[in-house]
Amino acid sequence: MQKLIIKGKKEIAGNISISGSKNATLPILAASILCKNVTLKNIPFVQDIFTMVKLLKFIGMKIVISKNKGTIRIKNKNNKIKTLAPYKLVKTMRAGVLVLGPILAKFRKAKISLPGGCAIGTRPVDLHLFALKKLGAKIKIKNGYIIAEAKKGLIGSKITFPNISVGATENAILAAFHAKGNTILKNSATEPEIKDLISFLNKLGGNIKMNNRSIFIKGCEKVKEEIKHNVIFDRIELGTYLIAAALVGKKIKINKIQSKIIKSELDILKKMGVKLKIQKNSITISKSNNIKKINIATKPYPGFPTDLQAQLMVLMTKANGISKIQENIFENRFMHVSELNRMGANIEIKNKVAIVKGPSKLNGAEVMATDLRASVSLVLAGLVANKKTIINRIYHLDRGYELLEKKLKNCNANIKRV
Ligand code: UD1
């Protein structure tokens, strides 16, 4: 099994280009079920994307990946695709459940495996099913599968989500795309990745608008023959490298981004005393020797993202005083804490809150990655720690970070995969 070995306490300097967003690409790939010819650009070639491609190929779509161009081309020549997503392809990646909405919308029936839990929490799909039922789908759960049917097609409706969910909002948009009449989604998630999905669907012929937490969808009958789309940058990858630079950066310039999209993250870094030069499409950042304590809570966008919680916690270990993070999105997302404590951090968990007593000197150790974002927090800790850090189970990292070692090595980090 592969491991990462990092020799820390080395300053990093140079340029980093941010890849396309994994979390935007996944629903857009699911949306390609609704299309005829699609070219997607700025694709991050990470494991989750290959898993989704495998699922789409299984159901019968023709897909050509061009790694050097960073593109995926999809052709749906005939309409004879399978309406089944089997357990073996959905269990490794929850986003597989996003094919439910488009398959049901287009083929009026779908049999999709329940994705099951994962390390960071139980992660149910009740909100996805709630929305589809409101659109007129008949849904049964049998032998671990969601069996959905809408014999006469889905019908537009007004849906108020009881809680905010990114995936449920995406599935509802994808299903409502071909529904008869108008749909209004209230209390929706408004993540930039959802806006990217909407922009993709509007290119396809849709008429979808977002206003605060409301999304208005006019049912679309006819789709365009051919569309192209450039996927938005990965704001979580950007946040991760911003924190890396705040920890050990001499001078790092991060490119291929839109700064306005990560306002809450930048505000927090500024409050922590991180030195930033913010431009429209790049941010230059260097290490601060006087990191200030802060209290934050994870929230749906535009709040601070749960996907950056583990990374920010590493920066908090270097702050003067006690910082706190309240995790409001997932119930079990502090698994990195015990590993960070093994490296010398002083972090205590009380219910939903991690209390980080800083500043701590981090020391290299052999550690275990437990999920995608937790594993990258260990990379950040390794970069700032004394001596050698060995990170096991890095397949978690490969699910979501494109060319991580290469991007860091280009900036003189001492990191290698064995
Ligand atoms: C997406 C992101 C993930 C991110 C998360 C929150 C993708 C592929 N993944 O995951 O990286 O961490 O948003 O920003 O985009 N919930 C329910 N019932 C449901 C659905 C969700 O109770 O039917 C709960 C979840 O357990 C969780 C909360 O709602 O507590 C938010 O989850 P959700 O926004 O749905 O996350 P995902 O779409 O799975």
Side-chain angles (χ1 to χ4, degrees):
M1 214 178 269
Q2 294 189 334
K3 300 172 181 201
L4 276 183
I5 300 181
I6 302 171
K7 286 192 185 141
K9 277 257 168 249
K10 195 167 179 240
E11 280 188 335
I12 59 172
N15 295 313
I16 298 178
S17 288
I18 297 302
S19 298
S21 159
K22 161 183 93 68
N23 286 356
T25 307
L26 290 169
I28 289 173
L29 281 172
S32 67
I33 292 171
L34 302 167
C35 307
K36 291 182 177 162
N37 296 297
V38 191
T39 306
L40 297 176
K41 292 186 187 164
N42 202 30
I43 299 295
F45 289 112
V46 295
Q47 199 49 50
D48 276 8
I49 301 302
F50 294 120
T51 307
M52 185 59 115
V53 165
K54 213 167 160 189
L55 175 55
L56 296 180
K57 281 187 172 166
F58 172 87
I59 66 176
M61 294 165 63
K62 211 171 158 232
I63 301 182
V64 180
I65 293 179
S66 170
K67 271 196 182 173
N68 52 355
K69 288 190 201 152
T71 62
I72 294 186
R73 296 190 67 181
I74 302 163
K75 279 191 181 164
N76 278 331
K77 268 200 171 157
N78 55 37
N79 271 343
K80 278 191 229 141
I81 70 164
K82 290 190 197 109
T83 53
L84 167 76
Y87 177 65
K88 63 174 190 224
L89 292 173
V90 181
K91 70 169 183 196
T92 51
M93 187 194 58
R94 277 184 51 83
V97 81
L98 293 175
V99 301
L100 174 60
I103 292 183
L104 183 62
K106 191 164 170 180
F107 301 98
R108 300 185 173 186
K109 60 175 189 170
K111 184 177 172 188
I112 312 295
S113 169
L114 279 167
C118 77
I120 61 173
T122 49
R123 303 188 82 177
V125 290
D126 55 318
L127 296 171
H128 299 235
L129 305 188
F130 162 81
L132 298 179
K133 281 182 192 163
K134 290 264 180 196
L135 293 168
K138 296 266 176 295
I139 297 182
K140 288 190 293 201
I141 305 288
K142 211 174 163 193
N143 307 118
Y145 278 81
I146 304 161
I147 301 171
E149 201 174 57
K151 278 192 178 136
K152 293 183 179 161
L154 295 169
I155 295 162
S157 176
K158 183 173 167 188
I159 304 167
T160 305
F161 287 107
N163 294 308
I164 296 171
S165 156
V166 174
T169 301
E170 290 166 345
N171 238 333
I173 295 171
L174 290 162
F177 182 79
H178 273 320
K180 244 178 246 149
N182 299 333
T183 296
I184 304 177
L185 307 177
K186 297 244 168 196
N187 201 27
S188 306
T190 61
E191 267 62 5
E193 295 74 29
I194 296 182
K195 290 178 191 148
D196 205 32
L197 172 67
I198 291 176
S199 125
F200 176 84
L201 290 171
N202 284 342
K203 283 181 194 165
L204 189 61
N207 185 340
I208 308 174
K209 292 192 177 89
M210 184 190 274
N211 183 9
N212 298 320
R213 291 210 176 273
S214 298
I215 299 175
F216 304 87
I217 306 158
K218 280 194 181 157
C220 170
E221 282 174 18
K222 202 163 177 277
V223 298
K224 295 244 168 71
E225 282 295 319
E226 181 148 13
I227 60 166
K228 290 191 175 127
H229 186 77
N230 221 13
V231 173
I232 191 176
F233 76 97
D234 193 320
R235 65 193 163 97
I236 305 301
E237 190 197 15
L238 166 60
T240 303
Y241 288 123
L242 285 173
I243 294 168
L247 287 164
V248 288
K250 197 168 174 196
K251 190 173 175 194
I252 294 280
K253 187 173 181 199
I254 308 185
N255 303 303
K256 286 185 74 185
I257 59 142
Q258 297 167 53
S259 307
K260 63 174 187 207
I261 285 181
I262 58 150
K263 200 177 165 303
S264 75
E265 294 87 322
L266 292 175
D267 285 347
I268 283 167
L269 290 176
K270 279 186 214 157
K271 280 190 194 143
M272 292 180 84
V274 175
K275 293 173 211 144
L276 299 157
K277 184 177 159 208
I278 302 167
Q279 284 171 312
K280 195 173 161 218
N281 299 118
S282 71
I283 300 174
T284 308
I285 175 166
S286 356
K287 166 181 159 185
S288 165
N289 290 321
N290 186 17
I291 302 281
K292 298 185 186 107
K293 63 181 181 174
I294 196 164
N295 294 342
I296 66 146
T298 60
K299 291 187 186 133
Y301 190 83
F304 188 83
T306 173
D307 284 354
L308 274 177
Q309 175 256 105
Q311 299 89 313
L312 192 75
M313 200 180 286
V314 180
L315 189 59
M316 286 174 165
T317 68
K318 294 288 160 193
N320 292 304
I322 299 176
S323 299
K324 289 182 187 168
I325 304 189
Q326 179 163 328
E327 172 54 59
N328 288 323
I329 310 294
F330 292 110
E331 70 265 33
N332 191 20
R333 211 174 196 182
F334 283 142
M335 284 172 301
H336 43 284
V337 167
S338 55
E339 297 302 83
L340 293 176
N341 282 345
R342 289 182 58 241
M343 293 177 75
N346 184 346
I347 308 169
E348 204 186 321
I349 301 169
K350 279 203 178 139
N351 301 318
K352 285 169 151 194
V353 181
I355 302 156
V356 188
K357 292 182 187 146
S360 299
K361 193 172 145 202
L362 299 184
N363 297 305
E366 183 151 4
V367 289
M368 191 80 84
T370 46
D371 70 66
L372 174 57
R373 309 302 171 186
S375 43
V376 88
S377 79
L378 300 176
V379 173
L380 296 177
L383 289 173
V384 72
N386 277 329
K387 303 207 171 126
K388 190 160 82 175
T389 296
I390 302 171
I391 306 175
N392 293 291
R393 295 201 183 157
I394 53 167
Y395 51 83
H396 290 292
L397 207 59
D398 295 333
R399 285 188 45 210
Y401 283 89
E402 188 180 50
L403 304 173
L404 177 102
E405 300 105 89
K406 194 172 170 215
K407 289 184 185 187
L408 286 171
K409 252 190 213 156
N410 283 346
C411 296
N412 298 330
N414 191 332
I415 179 168
K416 69 173 179 197
R417 183 181 287 248
V418 291

